[in-house]
Amino acid sequence: MTGRPGTPRPYQSYVYAYPHKTAYRPLADRPALRDAWAGEPRDALSLYLHIPFCEVRCGFCNLFTRIGAPGELTTRYLDALDRQATAVREALDDGEPVRFASAAFGGGTPTFLSADELDRLCDIAEKRMGAELAAVPLSVETSPATATADRLAVLAARGATRLSIGVQSFVDAEARAAVRPQRRAEVESALARIRDAAIPVLNIDLIYGIDGQTPESWRRSLDAALVWRPEELYLYPLYVRPLTGLGRLGAGSDESWDAQRLGLYRQARELLLARGYEQVSMRMFRRTDAPPQGPDDYACQTDGMIGLGCGARSYTSRLHYSFDFAVNMGEIRGIVDDYTATEDFGRAEVGVRVDGGEARRRHLLQSLLQARGMEISEYRERFGTDPGDDFGAELDRFAALGWLDGSAAPRRLRLSELGLAYSDALGPELFSPSVRSAMAAYEPR
């Protein structure tokens, strides 16, 4: 599995949403949420609640999160989340039925909240938004230090179907190198508590490309994770971003690091496929006998998302919106404080408009980055055109690089084994010129 001549570098950008949040800008007209959601399908929405607190900040992290919550900050934050949920639900209630097909608590670290506060968070999702948490897939992120028995008991009782724990490495020296202060013994204790809580799906996050990591130490982490027979494993290549702890230390990227990460990815992929896992995307591997999570009928390509919290995004077919974004800790503290003081949550403040061309790009990108790929007929039914008509040059390039699986044609577009490995190069190649320009103009803060 090697690249063709002229192949781009494999690790450029982790694409988890499009357009990227650095393309968002203040919305001059501050559209009312009632208008933004007018006419939008709302029978299979996703609900995301964002908790921007962590006990520590890892050296690689560029997510919207702050360390600690002095005073009554978590209470004030949940009060604001309650006000926002009330305003959003009022904006959605225009006579059409509203149904949530999935829910997730992310961050930050949602389990930074106490057990009682997690109960309140679930109440906000259910009583304010109308989500039936026990009837839909509910995913919650946690950390070794905060996966305590009382918190896990609340989540299990409220219907959590998936717990995702950020381990990153079972090797203590590698955790320190990633500026993640934890010990393997603490990680193992947390995993035992999660299994005791009997939440159906356990996901373990691991990172490859850490300074000092070798194929042997990477295998030790993989083996240690597999002892717990996690239903899912997410394997992330390490990135060094501006304003992060590793970025301030001057860590960078070169071709030898690319080769190291590719080698570790291939090693892990081969092991997991041999151990009864299927590859869902470049990052995600699922145990083939994992239990279903329930009637998960939300599709990120077509359905809307409601995000609550100052780091959450919301998606309609025409507008993606959120709040201000930053990585620097001082800036984040200011944004969180502004959020907790906000009384009127009835308008979209920061975002990006999505026209027909961008909708096509988003659909192709988010479909193609999944191992199953995309049925051509689904794209044609939604947009009235073929992806080859809209993105012929890009798809020809992908085919020339060996990134497309020719055996799937003509009914399906699907990445080859090589294409999956190069997902973080392929995704950015589908960004539009206007999104690229907005991202390039963004000043990290």
Side-chain angles (χ1 to χ4, degrees):
M1 186 169 64
T2 58
R4 307 283 176 85
T7 299
R9 294 182 65 176
Y11 300 106
Q12 297 183 27
S13 178
Y14 169 27
V15 182
Y16 54 91
Y18 180 79
H20 193 273
K21 202 169 183 181
T22 54
Y24 290 19
R25 295 293 184 271
L27 298 165
D29 57 345
R30 299 179 62 245
L33 298 188
R34 185 174 296 276
D35 294 336
W37 283 95
E40 292 286 325
R42 57 195 75 182
D43 59 340
L45 296 173
S46 177
L47 178 64
Y48 176 76
L49 277 66
H50 180 261
I51 303 300
F53 307 113
C54 288
E55 70 275 15
V56 296
R57 190 169 197 188
C58 303
F60 51 82
C61 179
N62 71 334
L63 299 179
F64 187 91
T65 185
R66 59 159 293 163
I67 300 171
E72 299 295 320
L73 183 54
T74 55
T75 299
R76 297 198 305 274
Y77 187 84
L78 289 172
D79 289 345
L81 201 67
D82 198 315
R83 294 194 298 273
Q84 185 187 6
T86 300
V88 171
R89 183 65 202 216
E90 288 176 354
L92 291 174
D93 284 336
D94 61 357
E96 295 296 322
V98 177
R99 173 180 170 270
F100 291 97
S102 66
F105 302 158
T109 308
T111 50
F112 179 91
L113 299 178
S114 68
D116 287 344
E117 289 171 333
L118 283 172
D119 228 1
R120 185 183 178 193
L121 187 70
C122 293
D123 282 344
I124 291 171
E126 291 192 326
K127 297 177 181 179
R128 293 289 185 262
M129 293 304 301
E132 297 182 56
L133 297 183
V136 301
L138 169 60
S139 178
V140 183
E141 297 174 8
T142 190
S143 68
T146 62
T148 57
D150 59 339
R151 292 174 170 107
L152 296 173
V154 168
L155 295 174
R158 300 302 293 260
T161 56
R162 178 179 183 270
L163 248 292
S164 179
I165 183 168
V167 173
Q168 320 315 350
S169 177
F170 283 84
V171 178
D172 288 350
E174 290 179 3
R176 290 193 299 271
V179 195
R180 184 179 179 86
Q182 67 184 26
R183 292 185 176 88
R184 178 170 174 173
E186 297 168 346
V187 172
E188 301 280 2
S189 295
L191 289 168
R193 291 192 296 272
I194 292 171
R195 281 311 196 194
D196 287 344
I199 292 171
V201 173
L202 164 65
N203 172 71
I204 296 176
D205 287 348
L206 297 176
I207 285 181
Y208 54 94
I210 299 170
D211 186 33
Q213 193 173 50
T214 65
E216 292 74 26
S217 67
W218 178 226
R219 176 62 187 259
R220 289 202 298 274
S221 274
L222 292 167
D223 285 342
L226 290 172
V227 165
W228 296 96
R229 301 196 72 242
E231 285 71 23
E232 294 176 4
L233 277 161
Y234 267 75
L235 309 181
Y236 291 92
L238 180 64
Y239 278 100
V240 175
R241 301 301 195 191
L243 304 182
T244 63
L246 290 179
R248 288 191 293 272
L249 290 173
S253 175
D254 56 29
E255 292 185 5
S256 64
W257 193 31
D258 289 345
Q260 180 209 16
R261 286 178 288 180
L262 268 179
L264 296 174
Y265 161 81
R266 293 165 179 163
Q267 174 189 355
R269 180 181 185 273
E270 180 179 344
L271 174 66
L272 293 179
L273 294 181
R275 295 287 291 271
Y277 286 78
E278 62 177 336
Q279 187 168 17
V280 179
S281 68
M282 172 189 168
R283 287 166 174 76
M284 182 182 178
F285 293 81
R286 178 187 292 130
R287 220 177 68 205
T288 54
D289 62 346
Q293 292 195 59
D296 185 357
D297 54 355
Y298 173 77
C300 64
Q301 298 95 328
T302 55
D303 295 321
M305 184 166 85
I306 297 292
L308 302 179
C310 59
R313 314 162 193 243
S314 297
Y315 306 142
T316 76
S317 64
R318 297 161 294 177
L319 177 68
H320 293 191
Y321 62 93
S322 183
F323 296 92
D324 205 358
F325 172 72
V327 175
N328 177 273
M329 192 59 65
E331 297 281 354
I332 290 174
R333 286 195 292 266
I335 294 171
V336 172
D337 289 343
D338 288 345
Y339 175 82
T340 62
T342 299
E343 295 294 335
D344 179 9
F345 286 103
R347 294 183 175 274
E349 303 288 344
V350 178
V352 61
R353 305 282 182 181
V354 178
D355 61 18
E358 295 291 17
R360 284 172 164 82
R361 287 183 184 276
R362 181 173 183 262
H363 188 103
L364 177 62
L365 188 156
Q366 294 191 306
S367 299
L368 203 53
L369 292 182
Q370 300 296 308
R372 66 177 177 270
M374 182 186 74
E375 287 282 350
I376 302 295
S377 59
E378 294 177 2
Y379 185 96
R380 186 184 300 123
E381 181 179 348
R382 182 179 180 191
F383 298 111
T385 56
D386 280 359
D389 297 332
D390 297 332
F391 302 101
E394 291 91 337
L395 294 175
D396 286 347
R397 173 166 165 74
F398 298 162
L401 289 167
W403 290 353
L404 298 182
D405 178 3
S407 68
R411 296 179 54 187
R412 178 176 287 269
L413 272 175
R414 185 170 62 209
L415 295 185
S416 64
E417 180 181 338
L418 181 64
L420 280 172
Y422 276 77
S423 291
D424 284 3
L426 182 150
E429 296 226 356
L430 287 172
F431 292 0
S432 70
S434 61
V435 166
R436 287 177 182 274
S437 177
M439 292 174 64
Y442 175 79
E443 295 185 6
R445 62 185 186 87

